[in-house]
Amino acid sequence: MKVLVIGGDGYCGWATALYLSNRGYEVGILDSLVRRHWDNELGVETLTPIALIQQRLQRWQDLTGKSIDLFIGDITNYEFLHKTLQQFQPNALVHFGEQRSAPFSMIDREHAVLTQVNNVVGTLNLLYAMREDFPDCHLVKLGTMGEYGTPNIDIEEGYITIEHNGRKDTLPYPKQPGSMYHLSKVHDSHNIHFACRIWGLRATDLNQGVVYGVLTEETGMDELLINRLDYDGVFGTALNRFCIQAAIGHPLTVYGKGGQTRGFLDIRDTVRCVELAIANPAEAGEFRVFNQFTEQFSVGDLALMVKNAGNAMGLNVEINHLDNPRVEKEEHYFNAKNTKLLDLGLQPHLLSDSLLDSLLNFAIKYQTRVDHKQILPKVSWHRN
């Protein structure tokens, strides 16, 4: 099977491309490399030294004998996208090619517009390219649990059955996104749902929780294959940030009370979930939604787990509660369903002491690369 991984130079995309290649899929990577540009714009670097994409792919081929095709360009450019799809002829499209940071999208008007144009227009172009020439291709799209917000009822997987005035229907689950980034994902979901209903396309939306970890079997094979690990206040995610802060002796940055509860999963489960979706495609006209996470934690609970693991390793770890730069409920009900991927065979890697030790040791190894000025949040959701 031929799988094109859009955004294959990024955190989830790189790990997924290597994982699929290692399992015998014929893989191509399409990427504009803009993620590296955004690092330059913000003046930050990933904790881990990332080689050029061409060097990474050459090293992969040297080690495994497997080649991955590379297409450098922007999917908001329809002519480029159309030409690439014609050349590669994919059976499945794995779409990670979006601006994925909530803080980045909330910097100012320009970054909000950039996020929405990049994400919504890129996905629309994909849908039209599929309609025109690849109607049987399966789109596996990375969504986000953040589309749902924090409703005071259980979160279903994409759809909810409602009875109203004596009539019943199953409808898309209501969305309450918390940033311009999450809002772009909601637009994507509506557009993909429309394309499946009206044009008969097939798609799976993976509403992913917060990912942690850096090592998969493939990215751990060689230093040149190493994955990125972001710790800054714009692109860094909670558990990864906490582990890096602990490694350098910086107090853990918990926003507000720390009662914000979210779904989390290991990067090794991300790549497996994508494979499960590809191997079990949606039917023509079907828009499936899988909630892609394995455990639920509050931010405060995570910080405490990192503190305890760090203290056990001899690190002096403290927790600081900062004024929350985001507009969000800090204490709330959160109970989300996540059975569909488990039913397909996902065997989760749950957050354990050994995983925390591994992450902390990884952070300690590269701690000299940390820029202390980039740790605290600099983007506010509040009106000035």
Side-chain angles (χ1 to χ4, degrees):
M1 182 182 284
K2 301 185 75 170
V3 182
L4 185 64
V5 180
I6 300 167
D9 189 43
Y11 173 53
C12 292
W14 176 244
T16 300
L18 296 191
Y19 178 89
L20 294 174
S21 176
N22 207 25
R23 274 148 190 78
Y25 291 86
E26 190 174 336
V27 178
I29 286 176
L30 186 164
D31 204 299
S32 67
L33 309 184
V34 72
R35 179 68 184 83
R36 297 170 184 252
H37 167 74
W38 290 332
D39 273 355
N40 292 336
E41 176 195 323
L42 296 169
V44 301
E45 285 187 301
T46 165
L47 180 76
T48 46
I50 301 297
L52 295 173
I53 183 66
Q54 293 87 348
Q55 292 177 309
R56 298 169 106 181
L57 293 177
Q58 184 60 56
R59 187 60 180 149
W60 176 247
Q61 186 169 355
D62 293 344
L63 285 169
T64 66
K66 300 174 186 294
S67 64
I68 295 177
D69 293 337
L70 176 63
F71 305 92
I72 297 177
D74 192 333
I75 64 171
T76 62
N77 179 335
Y78 189 77
E79 185 179 349
F80 160 76
L81 175 62
H82 182 264
K83 181 180 176 182
T84 299
L85 295 182
Q86 290 291 345
Q87 185 175 339
F88 187 72
Q89 293 287 315
N91 304 111
L93 293 163
V94 178
H95 184 15
F96 290 112
E98 301 202 318
Q99 193 297 101
R100 59 98 172 156
S101 163
F104 186 92
S105 75
M106 298 296 288
I107 291 173
D108 53 26
R109 185 196 65 83
E110 286 80 6
H111 287 82
V113 171
L114 182 158
T115 298
Q116 298 246 343
V117 169
N118 181 84
N119 296 1
V120 178
V121 173
T123 299
L124 265 177
N125 278 347
L126 265 182
L127 294 172
Y128 271 92
M130 290 172 65
R131 187 188 80 153
E132 294 302 313
D133 295 309
F134 299 91
D136 294 323
C137 191
H138 179 209
L139 174 62
V140 178
K141 165 71 164 59
L142 188 72
T144 168
M145 289 297 294
E147 290 187 32
Y148 299 120
T150 53
N152 199 38
I153 58 172
D154 292 352
I155 297 174
E156 306 296 330
E157 296 199 67
Y159 298 90
I160 186 168
T161 300
I162 296 173
E163 190 166 337
H164 180 63
N165 289 345
R167 302 187 67 83
K168 183 185 287 189
D169 203 352
T170 298
L171 301 167
Y173 195 96
K175 307 293 179 70
Q176 300 179 75
S179 72
M180 289 292 182
Y181 154 71
H182 292 103
L183 194 54
S184 75
K185 293 288 203 177
V186 172
H187 297 327
D188 287 337
S189 295
H190 288 316
N191 288 340
I192 299 169
H193 190 198
F194 174 88
C196 291
R197 283 190 298 113
I198 305 303
W199 300 335
L201 301 186
R202 61 187 80 217
T204 301
D205 204 4
L206 299 175
N207 279 343
Q208 184 167 252
V210 183
V211 187
Y212 59 80
V214 66
L215 289 175
T216 59
E217 178 187 336
E218 293 77 21
T219 63
M221 286 169 61
D222 188 271
E223 190 88 6
L224 275 178
L225 302 180
I226 204 164
N227 208 350
R228 62 184 307 128
L229 192 64
D230 299 304
Y231 63 88
D232 61 281
V234 173
F235 280 103
T237 55
L239 184 60
N240 287 347
R241 281 195 305 115
F242 289 164
C243 287
I244 292 163
Q245 289 164 6
I248 64 169
H250 191 288
L252 309 189
T253 53
V254 173
Y255 298 167
K257 297 176 181 177
Q260 307 92 325
T261 301
R262 302 288 185 266
F264 290 83
L265 78 162
D266 190 301
I267 183 72
R268 293 171 293 178
D269 291 336
T270 290
V271 300
R272 175 64 176 145
C273 289
V274 172
E275 184 188 20
L276 286 169
I278 292 170
N280 302 276
E283 300 293 332
E286 182 184 14
F287 177 55
R288 299 186 304 188
V289 181
F290 296 164
N291 288 346
Q292 183 172 301
F293 69 94
T294 56
E295 296 178 276
Q296 295 178 177
F297 300 105
S298 75
V299 174
D301 289 340
L302 275 187
L304 201 56
M305 293 164 75
V306 172
K307 175 181 170 67
N308 292 338
N311 289 346
M313 294 173 60
L315 299 172
N316 180 25
V317 184
E318 297 179 0
I319 297 174
N320 270 11
H321 288 262
L322 311 181
D323 288 340
N324 195 343
R326 304 185 179 208
V327 176
E328 60 184 356
K329 295 176 184 174
E330 295 187 21
E331 294 176 300
H332 54 83
Y333 180 78
F334 191 85
N335 185 39
K337 308 293 178 60
N338 64 333
T339 58
K340 293 183 180 178
L341 284 160
L342 296 172
D343 291 343
L344 289 177
L346 176 66
Q347 296 178 313
H349 296 83
L350 301 181
L351 186 56
S352 63
D353 291 341
S354 61
L355 188 280
L356 284 171
D357 289 350
S358 169
L359 253 179
L360 285 164
N361 282 318
F362 200 88
I364 291 167
K365 177 180 179 181
Y366 291 101
Q367 63 179 304
T368 56
R369 290 178 52 87
V370 175
D371 180 351
H372 291 238
K373 297 191 298 294
Q374 299 296 341
I375 290 174
L376 294 176
K378 298 178 181 177
V379 182
S380 175
W381 270 235
H382 303 271
R383 291 177 64 187
N384 294 331

